[in-house]
């Protein structure tokens, strides 16, 4: 790879990059760190967390804790009390949450209201419904938190513990410790921390399903390679190939963008490419045709561009 050109492009256009790892055919072919980081430093990967939550849903389904993605959301919350006139919520399924096609009662996401509450899952449930149409794409981070509650109730243990046993340990990823954000200041400090650690949990101890996880680029690349391997790692099927295929197939659309089960589906010359994309440029990119995985960890930067064009212009031509 043209190391000088790549570094120059990162420094000029993507200066918040902390680390970059590239795998080809399962082999590490490029690794570079910036701003004083090394291979063990963890970074908050923002919404890349959502795609990892998708893998955990697949594992729970494989193990029989969840029957299918068409199960009604409220089936997992038998004690939840509906408000008068909200019967439509009963038709919302797990699949609607995974494909971002559930409706919500807000114009813009009420992050502060949800993340200052005592129970973030219940706060998400309280926002379901409204005048929106079930089946229409509506990206929601606060709504994603409901998935954490679903896994907790279906499995009988925290999503974080389940992830440690079924994903992190087999991949030899150091399990993140639960991290609590007690107020707005600590919340902002975590997001802006260049050396963030752990997995954010709510006051009930449930990890955030839509953000809040910290990983290093090597660990992000392992997760991408697991998906490229159709769920197999060191000869063991960690998550079914059918789930990998289904979750990385288009199920909904937002303008020209395709969406699977908490994965973005990229249309790149029928390459079977999909990606986990997070705020500030955090990326796990998987290209089936070229057998390439790219992991990029980035510090917080408002309105940062995605790294897809960067990967297409400066990585694929060199190794594809």
């Amino acid at each position: 790879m043209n190391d000088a050109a790549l570094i120059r492009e990162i420094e000029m256009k993507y200066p918040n990059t902390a680390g970059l790892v590239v795998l080809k055919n399962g082999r590490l072919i490029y690794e570079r760190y910036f701003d004083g980081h090394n291979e063990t430093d963890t970074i908050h990967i923002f919404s890349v967390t959502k795609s990892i939550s998708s893998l955990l849903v697949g594992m729970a389904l494989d193990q029989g804790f969840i029957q299918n993605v068409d199960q009604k959301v409220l089936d997992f919350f038998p004690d939840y009390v509906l408000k008068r006139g909200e019967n439509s919520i009963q038709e919302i399924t797990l699949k609607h949450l995974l494909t971002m096609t559930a409706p919500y009662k807000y114009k813009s996401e009420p992050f502060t209201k949800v993340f200052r509450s005592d129970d973030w899952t219940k706060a998400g449930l309280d926002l379901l419904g409204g005048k929106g149409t079930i089946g229409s794409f509506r990206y929601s981070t606060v709504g994603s938190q409901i998935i954490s509650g679903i896994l907790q109730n279906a499995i009988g243990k925290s999503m974080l513990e389940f992830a440690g046993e079924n994903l992190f340990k087999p991949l030899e990823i150091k399990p993140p410790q639960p991290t609590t954000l007690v107020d707005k200041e600590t919340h902002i400090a975590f997001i802006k921390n260049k050396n963030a650690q752990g997995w954010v949990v709510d006051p009930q101890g449930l990890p955030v399903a839509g953000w809040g996880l910290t990983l290093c680029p090597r660990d992000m690349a392992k997760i991408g390679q697991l998906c490229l391997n159709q769920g197999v790692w060191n000869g063991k099927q960690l998550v079914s190939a059918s789930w990998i295929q289904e979750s990385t197939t288009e199920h909904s659309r937002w303008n020209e963008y395709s969406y699977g089960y908490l994965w973005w589906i990229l249309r790149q010359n029928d390459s079977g490419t999909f990606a986990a994309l997070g705020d500030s440029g955090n990326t796990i990119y998987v290209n089936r045709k070229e057998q390439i995985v790219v992991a990029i960890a980035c510090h917080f930067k408002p309105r940062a561009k995605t790294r897809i064009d960067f990967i297409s212009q400066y990585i694929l031509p060199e190794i594809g």
Side-chain angles (χ1 to χ4, degrees):
M1 293 178 64
N2 189 336
D3 195 44
L6 187 148
I7 293 173
R8 184 168 57 249
E9 181 72 5
I10 288 175
E11 291 176 343
M12 290 178 59
K13 296 183 180 179
Y14 309 97
N16 66 318
T17 302
L20 167 65
V21 169
V22 181
L23 307 180
K24 170 76 172 181
N25 296 321
R27 185 173 61 88
L28 178 66
I29 64 169
Y30 188 83
E31 185 173 25
R32 172 73 70 169
Y33 295 93
F34 305 86
D35 198 21
H37 282 278
N38 61 48
E39 65 273 11
T40 62
D41 290 340
T42 58
I43 304 293
H44 178 209
I45 58 174
F46 292 91
S47 286
V48 171
T49 307
K50 291 182 175 70
S51 302
I52 294 169
S53 296
S54 174
L55 286 174
L56 298 176
V57 171
M59 291 174 175
L61 193 150
D62 291 340
Q63 296 177 34
F65 294 113
I66 296 172
Q67 296 174 15
N68 56 65
V69 296
D70 293 317
Q71 278 188 264
K72 301 295 193 294
V73 168
L74 292 187
D75 288 350
F76 297 96
F77 304 97
D79 297 328
Y80 183 76
V81 179
L82 279 172
K83 295 180 178 62
R84 182 177 298 178
E86 292 190 341
N87 294 336
S88 63
I89 299 176
Q90 299 179 68
E91 301 305 312
I92 297 173
T93 66
L94 172 58
K95 185 173 182 178
H96 292 132
L97 297 181
L98 292 169
T99 58
M100 296 292 180
T101 56
Y104 295 93
K105 306 168 187 168
Y106 58 76
K107 291 183 178 180
S108 59
E109 294 203 64
F111 295 110
T112 301
K113 179 181 179 180
V114 171
F115 300 135
R116 282 185 176 177
S117 70
D118 293 331
D119 187 333
W120 298 357
T121 299
K122 182 180 182 302
L125 287 168
D126 289 343
L127 291 168
L128 275 178
K131 298 180 180 179
T133 303
I134 296 176
S136 297
F137 188 90
R138 190 172 192 189
Y139 190 87
S140 176
T141 293
V142 297
S144 299
Q145 181 59 20
I146 300 169
I147 292 172
S148 185
I150 287 174
L151 288 172
Q152 168 82 25
N153 293 342
I155 299 168
K157 64 176 65 174
S158 165
M159 185 172 81
L160 197 157
E161 184 179 354
F162 184 72
E165 296 170 353
N166 294 274
L167 181 64
F168 297 138
K169 185 177 180 180
L171 294 184
E172 297 183 343
I173 294 173
K174 183 179 179 180
Q177 296 301 304
T179 299
T180 302
L181 307 180
V182 297
D183 52 31
K184 181 179 179 180
E185 288 68 30
T186 56
H187 190 139
I188 293 173
F190 178 82
I191 288 175
K192 294 185 176 181
N193 187 352
K194 291 186 176 182
N195 297 283
Q197 298 180 12
W199 194 340
V200 173
V201 298
D202 78 352
Q204 304 299 313
L206 275 67
V208 188
W211 59 280
L213 176 61
T214 68
L215 292 174
C216 67
R218 283 187 177 184
D219 293 342
M220 296 166 69
K222 287 180 180 179
I223 290 168
Q225 189 64 44
L226 172 69
C227 295
L228 186 58
N229 293 348
Q230 292 296 291
V232 175
W233 190 264
N234 287 337
K236 183 177 180 181
Q237 194 83 45
L238 302 187
V239 59
S240 62
S242 60
W243 179 260
I244 297 296
Q245 185 62 42
E246 184 178 358
S247 61
T248 58
T249 297
E250 179 183 321
H251 292 281
S252 56
R253 298 202 74 184
W254 177 56
N255 297 327
E256 72 271 27
Y257 301 103
S258 299
Y259 204 68
Y261 292 167
L262 304 180
W263 287 92
W264 292 98
I265 316 304
L266 308 179
R267 299 173 178 274
Q268 296 185 327
N269 301 320
D270 297 321
S271 59
T273 302
F274 54 95
L277 301 177
D279 196 5
S280 303
N282 286 280
T283 304
I284 299 175
Y285 170 98
V286 182
N287 186 312
R288 288 189 176 102
K289 181 179 180 180
E290 303 296 342
Q291 291 290 293
I292 291 170
V293 172
V294 181
I296 307 175
C298 304
H299 301 309
F300 174 69
K301 181 183 179 183
R303 297 175 295 280
K305 296 188 294 184
T306 72
R307 299 304 194 262
I308 301 305
D309 288 344
F310 166 75
I311 292 170
S312 299
Q313 295 174 19
Y314 288 87
I315 295 179
L316 292 186
E318 296 285 339
I319 60 174

